[in-house]
Amino acid sequence: MAGRRDALLTRDKNHSITASRIAVAVFIGVLLGCIFAFFSPHGFFISTTSTQTILSHKIVSTECESPEQVNVLKLNIQSAKEKNFELKKQVKGLMEKLRLAEQGKGHATEQFVVLGEKHKAGPFGTVKALRTNPSVIPDESVNPRLAKLLAEIAIYKEVVVVLANTNVLEMLQVWFTNIKKVGISNYLVVALDDRIEEFCKSNDVPVYRRDPDQGVDSIAKSGGNHAVSGLKFRILREFLQLGYSVLLSDVDIVYLQNPFDYIYRDSDVESMSDGHNNHTAYGFNDVFDEPKMGWARYAHTMRIWVFNSGFFYIRPTLPSIELLDRVADRLSKEKAWDQAVFNEELFYPSHPGYDGLHAAKRTMDMYLFMNSKVLFKTVRKDAKLKKLKPVIVHVNYHPDKLARMKAVVEFYVNEKQDALDSFPDGSD
């Protein structure tokens, strides 16, 4: 019995030890499982099928976005595109300002070299005088209302300006219609009466109505072309004082390209010519013959046909403002044609009893800035010249202005080849 009891005790003891070991193993296994689960919740191996399931779920959830959310995303994309476009415009504007600043820096350097300390002349062929006078300091107190308007419409401190009253309403419509077609936005109509102001506003045209000016207001409202032309010199002065360069335009002009792309900006005044060929437009040596003088019968003269006072670019410099003052003053005292006075003040040299104007001048290309004599007498009859596209055509040589303006539009814009054929070279 004793032996059997010992055997049973031994078996129970072994069984207890085995159970304990199993319990410990189970506990360790559970503990390791918890640790693995904590550090790797998705397991050590993720099947391709599971990955595809997750991605599919994401794609489905994206495709199931509400229409409102889709519209919001589209709006955000469009907004981003618009901001990107605006940033490009700003960068372009900054680059142009930098170019102008560098140009201005160059002019300032020239000014300092010429007017600053004395210096020796350089080698032959290297010496150049000052070409461009510096701009005046803008003074907005001259006309705060005009200053605010110009700040909104001018581009790089430049603007096209035309004066108009009711007498030229139909031509004005042709004028601004083609300005818009070309894509010029920096232009301004100076309305000389209420009807023109209302007409411009109804056609979405930038307009400036002058304050009443005693003594000249009657000219503004009822004056003809020459009277209004004389008035413009007084009005232009304020634009220059405010620091803006002005491309002064008569109303009988058809715009076919943007003139600011063809301006040199190296002179105080840059004007189109009334000349009709290279000699008359740009100057020539005209020999005067006086036979009774015998050996000295031939006298050489320098001639140039006049600048057109109906289309010129003028910079805000002291010589430019002095020119406007001189012309306006003479026209207020003399019965004279404004274009003749304009040219006399520009070209007459200083002489006893008279101080000439020290202004830099440039003549525009006569085929780009074309007068109507060049067009109707020469260009329309020449197969090669007909293919050229001018920047503007000024119907200054002919009284039937509106009809010829419309014909110019038909010829150059609508490409009607016979549009100019019915008109005589000159006036009837």
Side-chain angles (χ1 to χ4, degrees), residues 40-302:
S40 183
H42 298 295
F44 289 104
F45 305 99
I46 300 176
S47 67
T48 304
T49 304
S50 300
T51 304
Q52 291 176 345
T53 303
I54 293 170
L55 291 174
S56 299
H57 176 71
K58 288 183 179 180
I59 293 170
V60 170
S61 72
T62 302
E63 292 177 347
C64 294
E65 295 285 353
S66 67
E68 291 79 7
Q69 291 174 316
V70 173
N71 289 334
V72 170
L73 287 173
K74 288 181 177 179
L75 288 173
N76 289 338
I77 292 172
Q78 182 61 31
S79 176
K81 288 181 177 179
E82 291 175 356
K83 288 180 179 179
N84 186 44
F85 178 73
E86 288 298 322
L87 285 172
K88 287 182 178 179
K89 284 178 63 179
Q90 291 177 12
V91 169
K92 184 178 179 181
L94 289 172
M95 291 299 292
E96 181 62 20
K97 287 181 179 179
L98 179 61
R99 183 187 69 80
L100 292 174
E102 288 296 326
Q103 184 182 38
K105 181 181 177 182
H107 295 329
T109 302
E110 290 179 6
Q111 181 78 3
F112 175 78
V113 170
V114 174
L115 300 180
E117 62 183 46
K118 295 180 180 180
H119 58 280
K120 293 181 179 180
F124 180 83
T126 65
V127 177
K128 287 188 177 181
L130 181 66
R131 293 293 191 271
T132 308
N133 283 297
S135 299
V136 298
I137 299 173
D139 182 6
E140 294 190 2
S141 65
V142 171
N143 190 331
R145 184 165 65 90
L146 179 59
K148 182 179 179 182
L149 179 59
L150 290 175
E152 295 173 356
I153 66 172
I155 298 177
Y156 308 133
K157 305 287 282 188
E158 295 178 326
V159 62
V160 181
V161 175
V162 65
L163 277 66
N165 60 20
T166 303
N167 293 339
V168 296
L169 189 145
E170 288 184 286
M171 285 193 290
L172 179 64
Q173 186 169 21
V174 177
W175 185 88
F176 67 65
T177 298
N178 286 279
I179 282 249
K180 290 181 178 181
K181 283 183 181 178
V182 172
I184 302 169
S185 59
N186 53 328
Y187 69 98
L188 180 67
V189 176
V190 177
L192 302 178
D193 57 45
D194 295 335
R195 187 180 177 191
I196 287 294
E197 181 181 19
E198 294 168 2
F199 180 68
C200 289
K201 288 180 178 178
S202 65
N203 285 277
D204 194 28
V205 171
V207 62
Y208 168 67
R209 182 73 164 94
R210 295 180 59 254
D211 293 329
D213 189 347
Q214 188 175 2
V216 299
D217 206 43
S218 59
I219 296 176
K221 291 180 179 179
S222 59
N225 285 346
H226 290 315
V228 171
S229 292
L231 179 63
K232 69 192 175 192
F233 295 98
R234 296 185 60 173
I235 296 174
L236 279 182
R237 193 186 203 278
E238 291 186 351
F239 286 81
L240 268 58
Q241 282 183 279
L242 294 172
Y244 289 86
S245 295
V246 175
L247 184 58
L248 190 280
S249 172
D250 275 355
V251 74
D252 57 343
I253 292 176
V254 177
Y255 286 76
L256 302 169
Q257 299 185 64
N258 191 330
F260 290 114
D261 294 338
Y262 298 87
I263 300 293
Y264 281 80
R265 301 173 179 85
D266 64 348
S267 305
D268 298 298
V269 179
E270 197 167 337
S271 177
M272 72 172 294
S273 173
D274 270 3
H276 58 92
N277 55 32
N278 285 345
H279 278 69
T280 56
Y282 310 134
F284 64 104
N285 181 5
D286 185 36
V287 180
F288 175 76
D289 183 11
E290 192 176 8
K292 68 178 182 180
M293 287 299 296
W295 177 82
R297 65 183 293 180
Y298 300 111
H300 290 259
T301 68
M302 299 307 300

Side-chain angles (χ1 to χ4, degrees), residues 251-408:
V251 74
D252 57 343
I253 292 176
V254 177
Y255 286 76
L256 302 169
Q257 299 185 64
N258 191 330
F260 290 114
D261 294 338
Y262 298 87
I263 300 293
Y264 281 80
R265 301 173 179 85
D266 64 348
S267 305
D268 298 298
V269 179
E270 197 167 337
S271 177
M272 72 172 294
S273 173
D274 270 3
H276 58 92
N277 55 32
N278 285 345
H279 278 69
T280 56
Y282 310 134
F284 64 104
N285 181 5
D286 185 36
V287 180
F288 175 76
D289 183 11
E290 192 176 8
K292 68 178 182 180
M293 287 299 296
W295 177 82
R297 65 183 293 180
Y298 300 111
H300 290 259
T301 68
M302 299 307 300
R303 297 187 61 187
I304 184 172
W305 284 32
V306 295
F307 281 3
N308 190 290
S309 63
F311 190 87
F312 61 87
Y313 177 85
I314 186 165
R315 295 179 56 251
T317 65
L318 290 178
S320 296
I321 295 174
E322 184 182 0
L323 170 66
L324 298 180
D325 287 351
R326 287 183 177 214
V327 176
D329 181 61
R330 282 187 57 185
L331 291 175
S332 68
K333 299 173 181 178
E334 306 172 16
K335 191 175 182 180
W337 182 26
D338 70 282
Q339 181 159 290
V341 175
F342 177 70
N343 279 271
E344 288 170 2
E345 294 299 333
L346 265 176
F347 288 97
Y348 279 177
S350 298
H351 56 265
Y354 177 80
D355 289 329
L357 180 72
H358 298 278
K361 303 171 285 290
R362 171 180 281 274
T363 305
M364 294 176 172
D365 187 314
M366 69 173 183
Y367 289 117
L368 292 179
F369 299 90
M370 191 183 298
N371 63 57
S372 56
K373 182 175 182 177
V374 172
L375 174 62
F376 286 96
K377 187 179 177 182
T378 305
V379 171
R380 66 170 174 167
K381 301 174 183 179
D382 188 297
K384 291 182 178 179
L385 292 177
K386 284 177 70 173
K387 296 178 181 179
L388 297 175
K389 186 175 184 179
V391 177
I392 62 104
V393 174
H394 189 178
V395 187
N396 60 318
Y397 269 100
H398 301 87
D400 50 341
K401 297 181 181 298
L402 182 60
R404 293 195 187 234
M405 287 177 73
K406 291 180 177 179
V408 169

